[in-house]
Amino acid sequence: MSPKPSSEHPLFKHQARKRFGQNFLNDTGIIDRIVRSIAPGTEDNLVEIGPGQGAITAPLLEACSRLNVVEIDKDLIPILLAQFAKYKDFKIHQEDALKFNFSALASEKPLRIVGNLPYNISTPLIFHLLSFQEKISDMHFMLQKEVVERLASQAGDKHYGRLSVMVQYHCQVDYLFGVPPECFSPRPKVDSAIVRLTPFTSLPYTAINVELFSKIVNLAFQQRRKTLRNSLKQLLDKEQIALLPIDTGLRPENLSVEDYVNLTNFIDNKINTPNTDA
């Protein structure tokens, strides 16, 4: 592993910024475990979001010299450049990951994305990345533990919700392991966890109208204590709800991803599409 820069050198003095949600990972055992989980290959097209002070960047570059990093904090750029200047295929993009065009980094090799994601933007950033899913082979993220539990939850679990359904529609979700607060500086007030998201090359269940699917899932979980019958009143009238091939007395957390896809396709085919038969 590359030697760490001395914290005494003025170049490397950087105060973690709350507005960027910065908590820098500093536990070498956890860093090694994360890198083993990623298992970077020499020819991989790696992208790291929020490299911070380079804790994971260093071992990634040991395994694969080609690495793009997206970092919003301009004051971290000279720290990263000083540490990794010897790697000719190390490139820094000083941009907001929420607005970054990840397809610009895709080539003949699909993207493998890694990141210690700020808790305050993790959900919108995951949805942003899913818009590039055809160019991504996998994603490994450090997130708030509660978010990882939501991502991985199955129907009937207390953490199961809109995020679970929408991400599991697009990806295989694997909860890998937890990371306690003492592994960071400064210490966050919450536990963290590592998750692997692997976009499906072929969807297990296909919604004919993805926009409608998203709308139905969103409506269902807006007030999760309500039954589906009540939630769907904003979309369908009583007669249409009565036609649905599910028990509308169920609550939204009782339906699987497959159930939501089937419900969407039924509404799109049988209710939204007018009958043109003579």
Side-chain angles (χ1 to χ4, degrees):
M1 186 178 291
S2 301
K4 291 185 177 180
S6 170
S7 59
E8 299 302 314
H9 193 292
L11 176 60
F12 299 109
K13 289 183 179 179
H14 182 275
Q15 187 72 31
R17 293 181 173 174
K18 190 173 182 180
R19 71 188 177 100
F20 292 143
Q22 290 174 339
N23 298 94
F24 298 123
L25 185 63
N26 58 17
D27 185 292
T28 55
I30 291 294
I31 292 167
D32 289 344
R33 192 174 178 187
I34 291 170
V35 175
R36 287 198 306 272
S37 297
I38 297 167
T42 55
E43 300 301 315
D44 284 348
N45 187 2
L46 283 170
V47 180
E48 184 180 8
I49 298 171
Q53 296 174 321
I56 296 176
T57 313
L60 289 178
L61 280 167
E62 293 273 334
C64 177
S65 61
R66 179 185 181 184
L67 177 64
N68 286 278
V69 301
V70 181
E71 175 56 62
I72 193 172
D73 187 349
K74 62 181 176 58
D75 292 336
L76 285 170
I77 305 304
I79 297 175
L80 295 166
L81 286 173
Q83 288 187 83
F84 307 118
K86 68 177 182 179
Y87 297 97
K88 65 181 180 65
D89 289 326
F90 172 70
K91 296 180 182 177
I92 301 175
H93 306 268
Q94 199 262 302
E95 294 189 44
D96 182 350
L98 281 169
K99 301 174 182 177
F100 188 73
N101 178 17
F102 286 89
S103 64
L105 303 181
S107 61
E108 70 283 356
K109 292 281 186 180
L111 301 174
R112 302 195 67 202
I113 299 180
V114 180
N116 176 9
L117 303 188
Y119 300 146
N120 58 334
I121 66 162
S122 58
T123 298
L125 183 51
I126 288 171
F127 279 109
H128 177 59
L129 288 165
L130 287 177
S131 68
F132 305 101
Q133 73 172 86
E134 292 180 358
K135 301 180 184 298
I136 297 172
S137 63
D138 61 20
M139 298 176 274
H140 290 79
F141 294 135
M142 173 101 68
L143 299 166
Q144 185 174 340
K145 184 180 178 181
E146 183 182 338
V147 175
V148 176
E149 288 172 340
R150 287 165 56 201
L151 286 166
S153 287
Q154 299 299 308
D157 296 343
K158 67 176 182 178
H159 294 290
Y160 186 73
R162 174 178 174 264
L163 183 64
S164 318
V165 175
M166 294 308 299
V167 174
Q168 289 174 33
Y169 175 78
H170 295 283
C171 300
Q172 169 68 37
V173 179
D174 295 298
Y175 183 123
L176 299 185
F177 55 90
V179 183
E182 55 266 28
C183 296
F184 299 87
S185 179
R187 291 188 181 192
K189 296 179 181 179
V190 295
D191 286 343
S192 303
I194 305 297
V195 66
R196 179 189 294 123
L197 305 179
T198 308
F200 294 119
T201 53
S202 179
L203 294 175
Y205 322 107
T206 303
I208 298 168
N209 185 335
V210 179
E211 185 177 343
L212 179 62
F213 171 71
S214 179
K215 185 175 182 179
I216 289 170
V217 173
N218 188 45
L219 281 174
F221 286 102
Q222 274 181 358
Q223 294 177 288
R224 59 184 301 133
R225 289 187 174 276
K226 285 190 173 184
T227 63
L228 286 165
R229 184 183 303 112
N230 287 321
S231 298
L232 294 175
K233 282 180 180 178
Q234 299 178 59
L235 184 66
L236 306 171
D237 61 33
K238 285 184 179 180
E239 289 74 20
Q240 291 171 329
I241 289 173
L243 295 173
L244 298 179
I246 58 167
D247 178 358
T248 56
L250 293 172
R251 288 183 175 174
E253 66 267 23
N254 298 125
L255 271 66
S256 67
V257 176
E258 182 180 11
D259 291 332
Y260 277 107
V261 170
N262 290 338
L263 178 61
T264 300
N265 291 344
F266 181 88
I267 291 172
D268 196 56
N269 279 326
K270 302 296 185 182
I271 295 178
N272 289 353
T273 302
N275 188 346
T276 57
D277 293 343

